[in-house]
mmCIF file of all heavy atoms in Angstrom:
data_model
loop_
_atom_site.group_PDB
_atom_site.id
_atom_site.type_symbol
_atom_site.label_atom_id
_atom_site.label_comp_id
_atom_site.label_asym_id
_atom_site.label_seq_id
_atom_site.Cartn_x
_atom_site.Cartn_y
_atom_site.Cartn_z
ATOM 1 N N SER A 290 50.798 -41.998 26.111
ATOM 2 C CA SER A 290 51.797 -42.081 25.014
ATOM 3 C C SER A 290 51.489 -43.242 24.046
ATOM 4 O O SER A 290 52.331 -43.618 23.239
ATOM 5 C CB SER A 290 53.249 -42.125 25.506
ATOM 6 O OG SER A 290 53.479 -43.335 26.194
ATOM 7 N N SER A 291 50.275 -43.829 24.127
ATOM 8 C CA SER A 291 49.895 -44.914 23.218
ATOM 9 C C SER A 291 49.991 -44.453 21.758
ATOM 10 O O SER A 291 50.421 -45.210 20.869
ATOM 11 C CB SER A 291 48.499 -45.409 23.463
ATOM 12 O OG SER A 291 48.414 -45.928 24.747
ATOM 13 N N CYS A 292 49.631 -43.182 21.501
ATOM 14 C CA CYS A 292 49.658 -42.658 20.094
ATOM 15 C C CYS A 292 51.075 -42.686 19.549
ATOM 16 O O CYS A 292 51.304 -43.079 18.412
ATOM 17 C CB CYS A 292 49.056 -41.280 20.064
ATOM 18 S SG CYS A 292 49.840 -40.091 21.194
ATOM 19 N N PHE A 293 52.021 -42.304 20.400
ATOM 20 C CA PHE A 293 53.414 -42.280 19.927
ATOM 21 C C PHE A 293 53.956 -43.722 19.771
ATOM 22 O O PHE A 293 54.578 -44.039 18.789
ATOM 23 C CB PHE A 293 54.333 -41.601 20.978
ATOM 24 C CG PHE A 293 54.122 -40.119 21.096
ATOM 25 C CD1 PHE A 293 53.441 -39.577 22.151
ATOM 26 C CD2 PHE A 293 54.644 -39.273 20.173
ATOM 27 C CE1 PHE A 293 53.223 -38.216 22.288
ATOM 28 C CE2 PHE A 293 54.510 -37.884 20.236
ATOM 29 C CZ PHE A 293 53.782 -37.389 21.317
ATOM 30 N N ARG A 294 53.648 -44.579 20.801
ATOM 31 C CA ARG A 294 54.247 -45.887 20.777
ATOM 32 C C ARG A 294 53.536 -46.886 19.874
ATOM 33 O O ARG A 294 54.116 -47.535 19.041
ATOM 34 C CB ARG A 294 54.287 -46.468 22.238
ATOM 35 C CG ARG A 294 55.235 -45.711 23.159
ATOM 36 C CD ARG A 294 55.211 -46.275 24.553
ATOM 37 N NE ARG A 294 53.974 -45.998 25.241
ATOM 38 C CZ ARG A 294 53.078 -46.965 25.618
ATOM 39 N NH1 ARG A 294 53.315 -48.196 25.384
ATOM 40 N NH2 ARG A 294 51.977 -46.582 26.269
ATOM 41 N N LYS A 295 52.221 -46.982 20.050
ATOM 42 C CA LYS A 295 51.462 -48.029 19.338
ATOM 43 C C LYS A 295 50.733 -47.544 18.135
ATOM 44 O O LYS A 295 50.438 -48.301 17.215
ATOM 45 C CB LYS A 295 50.482 -48.667 20.336
ATOM 46 C CG LYS A 295 51.127 -49.316 21.493
ATOM 47 C CD LYS A 295 50.199 -50.233 22.283
ATOM 48 C CE LYS A 295 49.486 -49.569 23.378
ATOM 49 N NZ LYS A 295 48.588 -50.403 24.133
ATOM 50 N N GLY A 296 50.433 -46.254 18.090
ATOM 51 C CA GLY A 296 49.655 -45.705 16.994
ATOM 52 C C GLY A 296 48.448 -44.921 17.525
ATOM 53 O O GLY A 296 47.918 -45.345 18.560
ATOM 54 N N HIS A 297 48.029 -43.907 16.783
ATOM 55 C CA HIS A 297 46.973 -43.032 17.373
ATOM 56 C C HIS A 297 45.633 -43.762 17.528
ATOM 57 O O HIS A 297 44.809 -43.318 18.331
ATOM 58 C CB HIS A 297 46.843 -41.792 16.507
ATOM 59 C CG HIS A 297 46.070 -41.987 15.240
ATOM 60 N ND1 HIS A 297 46.687 -42.386 14.080
ATOM 61 C CD2 HIS A 297 44.788 -41.871 14.940
ATOM 62 C CE1 HIS A 297 45.784 -42.550 13.135
ATOM 63 N NE2 HIS A 297 44.599 -42.236 13.630
ATOM 64 N N VAL A 298 45.462 -44.872 16.793
ATOM 65 C CA VAL A 298 44.154 -45.567 16.927
ATOM 66 C C VAL A 298 44.033 -46.177 18.330
ATOM 67 O O VAL A 298 42.955 -46.576 18.705
ATOM 68 C CB VAL A 298 43.955 -46.664 15.838
ATOM 69 C CG1 VAL A 298 43.822 -46.012 14.473
ATOM 70 C CG2 VAL A 298 45.078 -47.685 15.877
ATOM 71 N N TYR A 299 45.145 -46.283 19.031
ATOM 72 C CA TYR A 299 45.106 -46.851 20.395
ATOM 73 C C TYR A 299 44.826 -45.782 21.479
ATOM 74 O O TYR A 299 44.789 -46.067 22.667
ATOM 75 C CB TYR A 299 46.447 -47.560 20.746
ATOM 76 C CG TYR A 299 46.607 -48.818 19.926
ATOM 77 C CD1 TYR A 299 47.244 -48.756 18.698
ATOM 78 C CD2 TYR A 299 46.089 -50.032 20.379
ATOM 79 C CE1 TYR A 299 47.399 -49.890 17.921
ATOM 80 C CE2 TYR A 299 46.218 -51.173 19.570
ATOM 81 C CZ TYR A 299 46.874 -51.089 18.351
ATOM 82 O OH TYR A 299 47.002 -52.237 17.604
ATOM 83 N N CYS A 300 44.662 -44.506 21.047
ATOM 84 C CA CYS A 300 44.350 -43.438 21.979
ATOM 85 C C CYS A 300 42.980 -43.806 22.646
ATOM 86 O O CYS A 300 42.056 -44.190 21.939
ATOM 87 C CB CYS A 300 44.231 -42.117 21.218
ATOM 88 S SG CYS A 300 43.543 -40.747 22.216
ATOM 89 N N PRO A 301 42.884 -43.651 23.959
ATOM 90 C CA PRO A 301 41.561 -43.969 24.592
ATOM 91 C C PRO A 301 40.441 -43.074 24.116
ATOM 92 O O PRO A 301 39.269 -43.376 24.291
ATOM 93 C CB PRO A 301 41.840 -43.811 26.107
ATOM 94 C CG PRO A 301 43.158 -43.090 26.209
ATOM 95 C CD PRO A 301 43.921 -43.284 24.936
ATOM 96 N N HIS A 302 40.814 -41.948 23.489
ATOM 97 C CA HIS A 302 39.758 -41.008 22.994
ATOM 98 C C HIS A 302 39.707 -41.026 21.478
ATOM 99 O O HIS A 302 39.233 -40.058 20.869
ATOM 100 C CB HIS A 302 40.064 -39.589 23.519
ATOM 101 C CG HIS A 302 40.403 -39.575 24.961
ATOM 102 N ND1 HIS A 302 41.414 -38.847 25.526
ATOM 103 C CD2 HIS A 302 39.835 -40.257 25.997
ATOM 104 C CE1 HIS A 302 41.484 -39.045 26.816
ATOM 105 N NE2 HIS A 302 40.572 -39.935 27.125
ATOM 106 N N ASN A 303 40.232 -42.065 20.849
ATOM 107 C CA ASN A 303 40.317 -42.108 19.398
ATOM 108 C C ASN A 303 38.935 -41.951 18.682
ATOM 109 O O ASN A 303 38.891 -41.393 17.591
ATOM 110 C CB ASN A 303 40.992 -43.406 18.894
ATOM 111 C CG ASN A 303 41.157 -43.387 17.385
ATOM 112 O OD1 ASN A 303 40.541 -44.164 16.687
ATOM 113 N ND2 ASN A 303 41.959 -42.491 16.870
#
Side-chain angles (χ1 to χ4, degrees):
S290 68
S291 297
C292 54
F293 289 104
R294 292 181 290 113
K295 298 196 267 178
H297 77 273
V298 294
Y299 292 91
C300 170
H302 314 137
N303 183 249

